[in-house]
Amino acid sequence: MKGKKRAREGSENAKRRHVKTSCASLGRPGSRHLKHADIEAVTLFEVVTMGRGAMQAVVDDWIEAYLTDRDSSLLDLISFFIQCSGCKGAVTAEMFHSRQDSQVMQKMVEEMDEGSGLQYKKFLAFPWILTITWPIDTDSGEYPLTMSGPYWRRFRSEFSEFVSVLVGQCQYSVIFDSYLMDTLISLLTQLSDSYIRAFRHTCTLAALKLLSSLVGVALSLSVGVENSQKLYEVEQTKSSSRRASPRLERIQRKITELQDKRVEIENMMDNIFKGVFLKRYRDVLPEIRAMCMEELGVWMRLYSSVFLTDSYLKYMGWMMHDKFPDVRLKCVLGLQGLYGDPLLLPRLDLFTSRFKDRLISMTLDKDPEVAVQAMKLLILISESCEDVLSPEDYKQLFQLVYSSQRPLAVTAGELLHSRLLSSNPLTPDLQDTTNEKDSNTLPAARLRALLSFYHESQLHQHVVYLVDSLWDCAGALLKNWALFTTLLLQDPIAQGTSLSLEEQSEVVEVMVASIRQAAEGAVLPGRNSGKKVLSAKEKRTQVDDCCKLTEFILPVLPQLLSKFSKNPQTVASLMKIPQYFHPDSPGAENTQLLSVLLTEMQAVVELHSHPELLEEAARSYFILCRAETPWHPIAGPDRDALVQRWTDRLAALLGKSLQDDLLRVEEEQTEEVLTTLKKLTAFHNGQDLSGWGLYELLCPLLSVDIKHGRLPDQVTVKVLQCVSYSVLWNLNTSGETLTSREKAVAQRRQLSVFCEKCLGCLSHAERMVKEQAFLSLCDVLTAHNYQLQIWDPASFGPLLYTPDPKLQRALLLFIQEMVFIGAEHDSHSRVSDVGKLEDLHRRRILLAAFCKLIIHGVLEMSMAAEIFKYYMKYFNDFGDILKETLSRTRQQDKIESARVLVLCLQQLFLRLKQEQDSGGSCSSGVQTFSSIKELARRFSLTFGWEQIKSRQSLAMIHRDGIEFVFQGIVQSPGKHTPPYLSYLTILSEFSSKLLKPDKRTVYSYLQRCAGEQAISARDEGWQPLIYYRASLLATGAEGEDTLSFVSSDTLKQTSLANRSRSPSVRHSPMADAPAAPSPTETKGRRAQRGNSTTCLEEINVEVAQSLVVWDTLLTSEGPTNQVVEEDIVDVDL
């Protein structure tokens, strides 16, 4: 070979003159590489990563060496597979000549010799008995197929490529010598059955790739047989004078030879399949199972004459039930290749009928990728087999367009588009409702088919999800604005058809959803889009769509508003359209069209007071009135005139009715006042209407309601909303309006007056009024606190306003009465499940508003203790809100947050103690001792596993707990137990979070406070102290027993009989010395061992600052008796 050096001169074993090869190096060869056309001498293992050209050259040289000395060369190949398995040992071989030796199988062992520190694997690879030996301590569990890094990530594909090149280069020579393949198959079969994962994984991959390469050889032999048969038939068609008998015999011999070789190859494949696949497709390692299914799909697709039978397909069907998603995914992908080939479909009929239900159920797989690929497989089946899926199956699959996973929903949209919107949308049902003109237009028929599906799905609140699912495949239909408007504006009498109001509303919903999709893209709540950033091309397409819809919809929208003006739901949807107009569109500067649109919008807003309609109208006006848009000069004055008209009307109504702090109004006038308030409130929510003096106009109404209570409830709610919006806008524009201290004082006075008004409304008889007053208070106080934080102290700004204690107590009382109402309220209330969900949602909003006041510092953090009391009882309803509140407060101040937890536990304990001391049974609002202890355990879990960061907090919890129990206790020989001693059982729940040296320090402080006599007491009355002491000293199973101390709900001390059941109570080693760690706890604390044992040596600056708490703890005043037991070691922090 010119320009190339020989890669190998003979075999490696021949050069070393023995049959032992070292496999010690797994690193990447640094100096051996492919440069220009030269290939340096490398081993088979090193050539794997050098590309296909290098592989072919080295394999050719190996074949030459094999023809010269096949035993040594074959041992080189065996060593290559051992080395690829990551073996850092040695391979030895002994000849085995008799297959009839009865002692052979007894020699096949796989064991470990702990005495010599070696591990053995002896197996038969005819004609040798191979022994692999490697050190036990070097078996780290990593091997090339699992190693990380770019080099090892390429190893798998290049290793598979090497096997393919080896078979490809040998297929015309040594592959049929009945020696090479027999030995290689025997080797891979034995190693793939090893209990060692590295051998099993690597050699299973090699065996499967070997079978795939043999499939290629069998295919080439089949092609050769077919070509020879054609040539034989051509020769036979010739006349007898021109026919050459020797040529016919030569062709026939060649056919027979090729057929024999193919049979031999098929026998090899059968041996690999039975020896490797049948054992490993159920392997405990999911990677091996997935690998088997992937290769099986390749075999069935390439060599269908042998493998595409029901006896092989059953494995694919069985493994679709595997618990690992990657295995199921490989099965589905393999089936896609089979169903995608029309020639293979007749052989899949039985499999399809048997596993159709499983394929349909896989569209609901918990793994998103498996569900998507299963849906794509069903699309292939529906396209190739018309009668396989029934209408019920299609109905089930179509509903997945509403899935929260966008890739799955888009794939289901493709199925819906191909079955309903592309193939034959003019079904008999649709033909009855489609006129002759529309029947000739395919888009109109498709749109009607889509509307029919949307109507039958009965999920009308999710139309945006339907449009998003169909956007990629049916975007042209959904962006056909002319088709939508024509269908809505057509004359029913002239066209000979009519749409009901419900159908018209559905058309409007689909059109508005498609407009939103074109303007904003696939951004939907609860749906994982999978794509976060739009490309430049997508952004340009989005802008073009917005310009086109603005140019087309702007002239037509007034007609639609006029036609559907009496239907508030439909008009509310149409009111959303101006929010998506693009200011740079060609028709945006047409003032005449905009004036007509604004006139119709005014007429609709004056006619209706529906909340959704008013909200969308306010948003549309806000978009049109932006200063940077070309519509501002016309839309701004139009909106101002509309608001002025409402304000004048409201002032006139109130001026006639409000006299001597009394509201005297007729029922018709009350309705008009309420309607006007709804409109002003909706517009004031998103736009600053402070210039119209709504605060001064409406604030007297709150005084009337508080004094006399004669204001209608709905009017009071709207007044509260509108006034709160005025205060919020005043705070928001403080940078522009507060130019002097007098104005700042006036703003604080306004805030104070509003809070007083809301405080009076908190005692209102109607629930909706109280809730609105509470939410308005929370919003205003939170906004005021935010303005204080962002304001520049050098300029005029809002003055500090602190809610008085009366207001804070009222807010807390409201939460306790309106949110934590108990399960008995739900049992007595006669509401449906939907009503209960709405009520729960309303209560969650109230609790979240109150928690925001605590998080932002409006209320004292200690008030959180009052809501943390309900952490366990209402965990299912409000657990996420309470956990987030606890997390936020801990981020602000760890120590203060820990004090809140202590305060919460102590208050619950004291209340229970008072109930029990009174002699009566516990009331329903008092928590039991076990529930308080469980609450403490939940609180301790919130500290997580980073114990160093929580040292300060945990120190404070234990210090306050010990002082709470022993404060004011005088040490004397005959003293009684402290009244709050049982609290130590609750405090022991936090002991597990302490570092080991910190437990010693806490124990020292406990000794100082409790005294030697109390510490050494073994009386029944001192059981909580014994348990708490054990939780600080025990580090193993006895510590677990300590934490599982069972306390009665009546706080009675446990009897001696009960005490004898727990080994932690006995006066044996646990009472005087720390217990040895158990295997269970040692395993659980394995991740912490490094930090806990060396924390004093490797402590950082932050932890050093936290030790101030322990210095305070050690130097704090306590009893003078400081005797320390012999088994306790003082830790100097």
Side-chain angles (χ1 to χ4, degrees):
M1 187 185 309
K2 187 177 181 181
K4 294 185 178 180
K5 299 179 182 179
R6 285 184 57 84
R8 304 166 57 87
E9 296 180 1
S11 66
E12 297 174 25
N13 289 276
K15 289 187 292 182
R16 287 191 289 267
R17 297 180 181 179
H18 57 75
V19 294
K20 178 183 291 187
T21 178
S22 176
C23 310
S25 176
L26 283 177
R28 179 175 180 176
S31 61
R32 301 179 178 182
H33 57 277
L34 185 64
K35 185 175 181 181
H36 302 296
D38 298 331
I39 301 178
E40 300 180 3
V42 293
T43 63
L44 291 176
F45 179 76
E46 294 167 347
V47 80
V48 168
T49 58
M50 297 177 62
R52 188 179 181 89
M55 290 182 190
Q56 291 178 344
V58 172
V59 168
D60 289 340
D61 293 340
W62 180 87
I63 294 174
E64 295 179 10
Y66 177 82
L67 296 175
T68 304
D69 187 358
R70 68 180 187 179
D71 290 341
S72 298
S73 299
L74 193 54
L75 283 176
D76 284 344
L77 187 61
I78 293 173
S79 300
F80 162 75
F81 287 108
I82 302 299
Q83 194 174 6
C84 289
S85 300
C87 174
K88 299 178 182 180
V91 181
T92 57
E94 56 181 300
M95 296 303 295
F96 170 69
H97 300 285
S98 175
R99 292 180 181 266
Q100 312 300 328
D101 189 355
S102 59
Q103 302 296 325
V104 170
M105 298 311 298
Q106 298 179 2
K107 298 179 181 180
M108 305 298 105
V109 295
E110 185 170 2
E111 60 184 13
M112 124 181 359
D113 187 357
E114 296 183 358
S116 61
L118 296 177
Q119 194 165 353
Y120 298 94
K121 168 71 176 176
K122 179 182 283 189
F123 58 95
L124 175 65
F126 192 83
W128 295 298
I129 297 177
L130 299 178
T131 303
I132 308 172
T133 308
W134 68 96
I136 297 175
D137 55 354
T138 60
D139 188 12
S140 62
E142 287 191 351
Y143 49 96
L145 290 183
T146 61
M147 289 183 180
S148 58
Y151 174 77
W152 297 112
R153 281 196 295 268
R154 297 194 307 269
F155 180 84
R156 176 190 173 103
S157 60
E158 292 167 345
F159 175 70
S160 304
E161 182 69 19
F162 177 84
V163 176
S164 175
V165 171
L166 177 65
V167 175
Q169 298 297 101
C170 296
Q171 63 177 324
Y172 301 110
S173 54
V174 297
I175 197 174
F176 299 102
D177 64 350
S178 300
Y179 188 81
L180 170 64
M181 295 306 298
D182 289 351
T183 305
L184 191 57
I185 292 174
S186 178
L187 168 74
L188 297 179
T189 302
Q190 290 291 332
L191 288 181
S192 64
D193 200 26
S194 172
Y195 76 90
I196 300 174
R197 172 178 172 175
F199 287 149
R200 194 171 71 254
H201 191 182
T202 305
C203 294
T204 300
L205 174 62
L208 297 176
K209 293 298 180 180
L210 179 63
L211 197 155
S212 300
S213 302
L214 292 177
V215 166
V217 176
L219 289 174
S220 62
L221 292 175
S222 299
V223 172
V225 170
E226 293 178 0
N227 293 336
S228 299
Q229 287 178 345
K230 292 179 181 179
L231 185 60
Y232 185 83
E233 293 174 357
V234 170
E235 286 292 329
Q236 281 189 331
T237 57
K238 294 181 181 179
S239 59
S240 57
S241 59
R242 300 179 56 188
R243 185 185 308 164
S245 298
R247 180 176 176 82
L248 285 175
E249 294 177 357
R250 188 167 57 252
I251 294 175
Q252 185 62 41
R253 285 196 303 270
K254 183 178 181 181
I255 293 174
T256 304
E257 179 184 358
L258 292 176
Q259 289 177 343
D260 293 341
K261 288 183 177 181
R262 185 173 62 181
V263 171
E264 186 175 354
I265 292 294
E266 290 178 355
N267 291 333
M268 296 178 189
M269 293 189 295
D270 186 65
N271 292 333
I272 297 176
F273 185 86
K274 294 179 178 178
V276 178
F277 181 89
L278 289 183
K279 297 179 180 179
R280 300 276 68 82
Y281 86 96
R282 295 178 299 177
D283 194 275
V284 69
L285 195 64
E287 290 85 351
I288 295 180
R289 301 200 300 273
M291 192 166 53
C292 292
M293 291 301 104
E294 182 180 10
E295 295 302 320
L296 179 60
V298 174
W299 305 336
M300 290 190 293
R301 179 171 51 86
L302 295 180
Y303 204 42
S304 58
S305 59
V306 174
F307 289 101
L308 192 57
T309 60
D310 295 330
S311 59
Y312 291 96
L313 281 170
K314 65 182 180 182
Y315 301 111
M316 194 75 74
W318 292 344
M319 298 308 291
M320 286 193 299
H321 295 81
D322 194 274
K323 62 180 180 179
F324 282 88
D326 193 44
V327 181
R328 302 193 297 271
L329 180 62
K330 296 301 182 182
C331 295
V332 174
L333 292 177
L335 292 174
Q336 287 181 7
L338 300 180
Y339 282 97
D341 190 349
L343 299 178
L344 305 180
L345 293 177
R347 302 187 180 186
L348 297 170
D349 293 340
L350 182 59
F351 176 84
T352 305
S353 61
R354 172 64 179 82
F355 293 100
K356 182 192 72 171
D357 295 338
R358 174 56 185 162
L359 292 175
I360 294 176
S361 65
M362 290 181 72
T363 57
L364 302 176
D365 196 280
K366 63 180 181 180
D367 186 79
E369 183 62 23
V370 175
V372 171
Q373 298 302 329
M375 180 62 71
K376 291 182 179 181
L377 175 59
L378 290 172
I379 292 177
L380 289 175
I381 294 176
S382 66
E383 292 175 351
S384 56
C385 310
E386 291 291 336
D387 300 332
V388 172
L389 299 177
S390 63
E392 290 76 15
D393 296 334
Y394 282 116
K395 184 177 180 180
Q396 178 182 349
L397 297 174
F398 289 161
Q399 295 301 319
L400 293 177
V401 295
Y402 299 103
S403 172
S404 60
Q405 299 291 335
R406 190 174 190 274
L408 177 61
V410 170
T411 310
E414 295 176 1
L415 178 63
L416 175 63
H417 181 263
S418 62
R419 299 299 302 179
L420 292 184
L421 308 182
S422 298
S423 58
N424 185 21
L426 292 177
T427 59
D429 296 338
L430 295 175
Q431 289 178 357
D432 297 338
T433 60
T434 306
N435 56 50
E436 182 179 356
K437 180 178 180 180
D438 286 339
S439 299
N440 297 328
T441 60
L442 186 60
R446 291 179 174 177
L447 180 58
R448 289 180 177 272
L450 175 61
L451 294 174
S452 176
F453 168 75
Y454 175 54
H455 177 74
E456 294 175 357
S457 63
Q458 297 179 355
L459 294 172
H460 301 284
Q461 297 180 355
H462 301 86
V463 62
V464 290
Y465 296 89
L466 172 62
V467 171
D468 181 44
S469 303
L470 293 171
W471 192 255
D472 295 341
C473 56
L477 174 64
L478 295 174
K479 288 189 286 188
N480 193 346
W481 323 120
L483 181 61
F484 283 101
T485 55
T486 302
L487 191 62
L488 290 171
L489 295 176
Q490 66 183 359
D491 187 0
I493 300 178
Q495 300 296 337
T497 185
S498 61
L499 294 175
S500 63
L501 292 178
E502 184 179 2
E503 293 173 340
Q504 292 175 352
S505 178
E506 292 171 356
V507 174
V508 171
E509 289 178 3
V510 175
M511 181 182 69
V512 174
S514 62
I515 291 175
R516 189 215 65 85
Q517 185 76 17
E520 296 182 352
V523 183
L524 296 175
R527 171 168 284 186
N528 299 328
S529 60
K531 182 183 292 186
K532 299 180 180 179
V533 181
L534 295 178
S535 62
K537 181 179 180 181
E538 291 173 337
K539 291 181 180 179
R540 186 167 56 253
T541 303
Q542 187 173 339
V543 172
D544 294 342
D545 291 340
C546 288
C547 293
K548 291 178 181 179
L549 73 88
T550 303
E551 184 179 5
F552 181 80
I553 297 294
L554 185 58
V556 182
L557 184 57
Q559 303 177 38
L560 296 175
L561 292 174
S562 177
K563 180 177 180 179
F564 300 101
S565 59
K566 296 182 180 180
N567 189 346
Q569 288 80 12
T570 305
V571 176
S573 300
L574 293 174
M575 277 291 187
K576 299 178 183 179
I577 297 179
Q579 303 172 24
Y580 309 114
F581 285 168
H582 199 279
D584 297 333
S585 62
E589 299 180 357
N590 192 330
T591 57
Q592 184 177 1
L593 293 177
L594 182 62
S595 299
V596 175
L597 175 61
L598 292 174
T599 301
E600 292 296 335
M601 290 175 64
Q602 282 191 18
V604 170
V605 172
E606 289 286 1
L607 183 62
H608 298 284
S609 61
H610 193 271
E612 184 180 356
L613 188 151
L614 294 176
E615 181 182 356
E616 299 300 338
R619 291 181 178 179
S620 297
Y621 269 104
F622 176 76
I623 297 296
L624 296 176
C625 295
R626 285 181 176 176
E628 64 272 13
T629 61
W631 309 303
H632 174 68
I634 300 177
D638 189 85
R639 180 208 56 190
D640 295 344
L642 188 62
V643 174
Q644 185 65 46
R645 187 160 57 248
W646 292 337
T647 307
D648 295 341
R649 184 185 309 166
L650 182 61
L653 292 171
L654 295 179
K656 296 178 181 180
S657 305
L658 190 60
Q659 299 175 1
D660 299 331
D661 290 338
L662 293 175
L663 185 65
R664 299 181 177 87
V665 60
E666 301 294 336
E667 183 177 355
E668 296 179 357
Q669 293 178 342
T670 302
E671 187 66 27
E672 190 173 357
V673 169
L674 180 60
T675 301
T676 308
L677 278 173
K678 288 181 179 179
K679 297 175 181 179
L680 286 172
T681 302
F683 274 70
H684 204 2
N685 185 16
Q687 304 174 60
D688 186 9
L689 305 182
S690 302
W692 282 268
L694 295 178
Y695 179 85
E696 293 77 9
L697 179 63
L698 299 176
C699 198
L701 291 178
L702 295 178
S703 302
V704 172
D705 184 72
I706 294 173
K707 292 181 180 180
H708 306 284
R710 297 182 179 180
L711 202 64
D713 298 334
Q714 294 184 355
V715 173
T716 305
V717 170
K718 292 301 175 183
V719 169
L720 283 170
Q721 287 183 346
C722 195
V723 173
S724 66
Y725 294 155
S726 298
V727 177
L728 290 172
W729 278 109
N730 191 10
L731 292 172
N732 187 54
T733 57
S734 298
E736 304 172 1
T737 58
L738 297 184
T739 57
S740 63
R741 181 173 177 80
E742 289 75 13
K743 293 185 178 180
V745 172
Q747 184 190 72
R748 185 171 63 177
R749 186 182 305 110
Q750 181 191 61
L751 180 62
S752 177
V753 171
F754 176 74
C755 291
E756 292 178 0
K757 303 290 186 184
C758 291
L759 177 60
C761 293
L762 286 178
S763 59
H764 198 279
E766 187 63 30
R767 179 180 57 84
M768 68 169 63
V769 176
K770 293 192 293 185
E771 292 181 357
Q772 184 58 51
F774 177 82
L775 293 175
S776 300
L777 261 175
C778 294
D779 292 341
V780 169
L781 293 176
T782 304
H784 177 262
N785 180 267
Y786 175 74
Q787 291 295 330
L788 291 176
Q789 293 177 0
I790 67 173
W791 199 258
D792 185 8
S795 60
F796 288 102
L799 300 178
L800 177 63
Y801 172 76
T802 303
D804 56 4
K806 182 180 178 181
L807 179 59
Q808 296 188 27
R809 288 194 301 269
L811 292 173
L812 178 59
L813 182 62
F814 176 86
I815 283 295
Q816 292 176 338
E817 292 180 351
M818 302 299 296
V819 176
F820 304 107
I821 54 179
E824 60 275 4
H825 172 78
D826 297 336
S827 61
H828 292 307
S829 59
R830 298 179 179 179
V831 293
S832 61
D833 293 339
V834 177
K836 290 181 180 180
L837 289 176
E838 293 177 352
D839 180 70
L840 177 60
H841 179 65
R842 175 184 57 80
R843 291 156 58 196
R844 286 174 59 86
I845 292 175
L846 297 175
L847 179 60
F850 181 79
C851 292
K852 284 193 296 183
L853 296 179
I854 298 175
I855 293 172
H856 292 287
V858 178
L859 301 179
E860 294 292 336
M861 193 179 294
S862 59
M863 298 192 69
E866 298 295 334
I867 63 174
F868 288 160
K869 295 177 182 179
Y870 305 98
Y871 186 85
M872 289 294 301
K873 186 176 181 180
Y874 294 92
F875 184 81
N876 293 334
D877 296 336
F878 312 116
D880 55 340
I881 300 177
L882 296 178
K883 287 176 64 176
E884 183 66 19
T885 304
L886 179 57
S887 176
R888 294 291 186 90
T889 54
R890 186 170 294 166
Q891 292 174 8
Q892 295 175 4
D893 192 338
K894 296 180 181 178
I895 300 299
E896 188 63 26
S897 176
R899 285 197 178 96
V900 171
L901 301 183
V902 172
L903 179 61
C904 175
L905 295 174
Q906 291 179 359
Q907 287 179 352
L908 291 174
F909 178 81
L910 290 175
R911 187 175 179 185
L912 177 61
K913 185 70 175 176
Q914 292 173 0
E915 288 284 337
Q916 293 176 345
D917 291 343
S918 63
S921 60
C922 295
S923 60
S924 59
V926 178
Q927 298 191 27
T928 61
F929 188 85
S930 59
S931 63
I932 300 175
K933 188 172 180 291
E934 178 64 18
L935 179 62
R937 189 185 71 85
R938 291 292 188 96
F939 284 162
S940 68
L941 293 177
T942 60
F943 287 98
W945 294 103
E946 298 181 359
Q947 296 171 307
I948 292 181
K949 293 184 178 180
S950 305
R951 294 184 77 180
Q952 284 181 305
S953 303
L954 293 169
M956 193 279 307
I957 290 175
H958 284 274
R959 183 189 63 191
D960 285 7
I962 295 173
E963 293 176 353
F964 173 73
V965 174
F966 295 102
Q967 186 175 11
I969 302 300
V970 179
Q971 301 182 24
S972 60
K975 68 175 183 177
H976 299 287
T977 59
Y980 301 151
L981 187 65
S982 298
Y983 182 77
L984 292 179
T985 305
I986 299 174
L987 189 61
S988 64
E989 295 293 338
F990 296 93
S991 300
S992 61
K993 295 299 180 181
L994 288 171
L995 294 175
K996 187 175 181 180
D998 296 347
K999 291 183 178 181
R1000 302 290 187 179
T1001 309
V1002 173
Y1003 181 77
S1004 300
Y1005 187 71
L1006 177 65
Q1007 283 182 307
R1008 294 168 55 187
C1009 293
E1012 178 185 2
Q1013 296 177 356
I1015 288 294
S1016 59
R1018 294 295 179 265
D1019 298 338
E1020 184 178 359
W1022 292 95
Q1023 284 298 314
L1025 178 59
I1026 296 175
Y1027 278 104
Y1028 181 56
R1029 176 182 177 276
S1031 69
L1032 295 176
L1033 297 181
T1035 58
E1038 295 181 354
E1040 296 294 333
D1041 294 337
T1042 299
L1043 296 181
S1044 62
F1045 169 61
V1046 180
S1047 301
S1048 65
D1049 295 341
T1050 60
L1051 281 183
K1052 293 182 179 180
Q1053 302 299 338
T1054 56
S1055 63
L1056 293 176
N1058 293 333
R1059 182 176 51 168
S1060 64
R1061 298 175 187 174
S1062 177
S1064 63
V1065 185
R1066 300 172 185 172
H1067 180 61
S1068 60
M1070 211 284 296
D1072 296 328
S1078 67
T1080 304
E1081 185 169 347
T1082 302
K1083 182 178 179 181
R1085 298 201 313 270
R1086 188 171 297 167
Q1088 308 174 16
R1089 185 177 300 166
N1091 292 336
S1092 62
T1093 56
T1094 62
C1095 64
L1096 297 179
E1097 301 174 359
E1098 302 177 356
I1099 196 165
N1100 53 24
V1101 177
E1102 179 184 358
V1103 177
Q1105 296 175 355
S1106 71
L1107 296 182
V1108 176
V1109 177
W1110 289 114
D1111 295 337
T1112 305
L1113 189 150
L1114 290 174
T1115 58
S1116 61
E1117 295 183 0
T1120 58
N1121 197 358
Q1122 300 181 11
V1123 179
V1124 182
E1125 294 184 9
E1126 294 180 357
D1127 62 333
I1128 303 302
V1129 180
D1130 286 334
V1131 179
D1132 184 10
L1133 295 180

